[in-house]
Amino acid sequence: MKKRLATTVCALGLLVSSGIASAGTSAITYAKELPKFSGDISLATGTKDNTSQSKVENAIVDKNYTANMWIVDAKGAKVSPTTTRVTDNDTRLFTVDQSAVGGNVTLVAENSRFALFEVSISGSFYPDTR
């Protein structure tokens, strides 16, 4: 009985650790307000496990606005090009600098044009696509 329990615990430990290793391919959802006056905001943070592209599946940008997006590393340094004019039901891929692999990356966004009010945005961020 003790041997069976130990085997089960070991198997569960392997499942949990393999889930952590692939965390970058899981969707991290966001639903926030883009600040007025074209200020930027962090939308989602996850671990960049490999050199694959990062992906954003953006669902909504409110009030017929569009957003600009980019990715930063844990120190706040930009590690991807900026993609512009992200809109409703829009999927974008980001090539992320290899220096970010193994650390946390954050998806950042701003209104793509000057706005006098906050604009709702929501979607999913995938730090890794494989």
Side-chain angles (χ1 to χ4, degrees):
M1 183 69 170
K2 287 183 181 179
K3 188 174 185 179
R4 187 177 212 170
L5 180 61
T7 303
T8 303
V9 169
C10 287
L12 286 172
L14 287 173
L15 286 173
V16 169
S17 65
S18 67
I20 293 169
S22 64
T25 57
S26 300
I28 302 164
T29 58
Y30 56 87
K32 298 202 175 180
E33 301 288 325
L34 295 175
K36 50 185 154 182
F37 309 124
S38 298
D40 62 50
I41 188 171
S42 298
L43 296 178
T45 299
T47 303
K48 182 76 178 138
D49 292 326
N50 59 55
T51 58
S52 67
Q53 290 183 309
S54 295
K55 179 170 76 169
V56 169
E57 292 175 344
N58 197 69
I60 296 171
V61 181
D62 201 20
K63 300 180 178 97
N64 295 322
Y65 278 83
T66 60
N68 298 330
M69 296 179 163
W70 61 93
I71 297 172
V72 299
D73 64 15
K75 296 178 183 174
K78 189 174 174 183
V79 292
S80 78
T82 299
T83 188
T84 59
R85 302 180 57 84
V86 177
T87 188
D88 296 350
N89 303 312
D90 197 347
T91 298
R92 301 293 179 104
L93 295 173
F94 294 84
T95 300
V96 178
D97 189 275
Q98 282 189 314
S99 66
V101 174
N104 283 338
V105 291
T106 300
L107 177 65
V108 179
E110 68 182 2
N111 281 312
S112 60
R113 61 182 182 167
F114 189 81
L116 296 175
F117 44 84
E118 294 179 338
V119 174
S120 298
I121 188 166
S122 66
S124 298
F125 173 53
Y126 300 82
D128 297 307
T129 52
R130 63 172 160 88

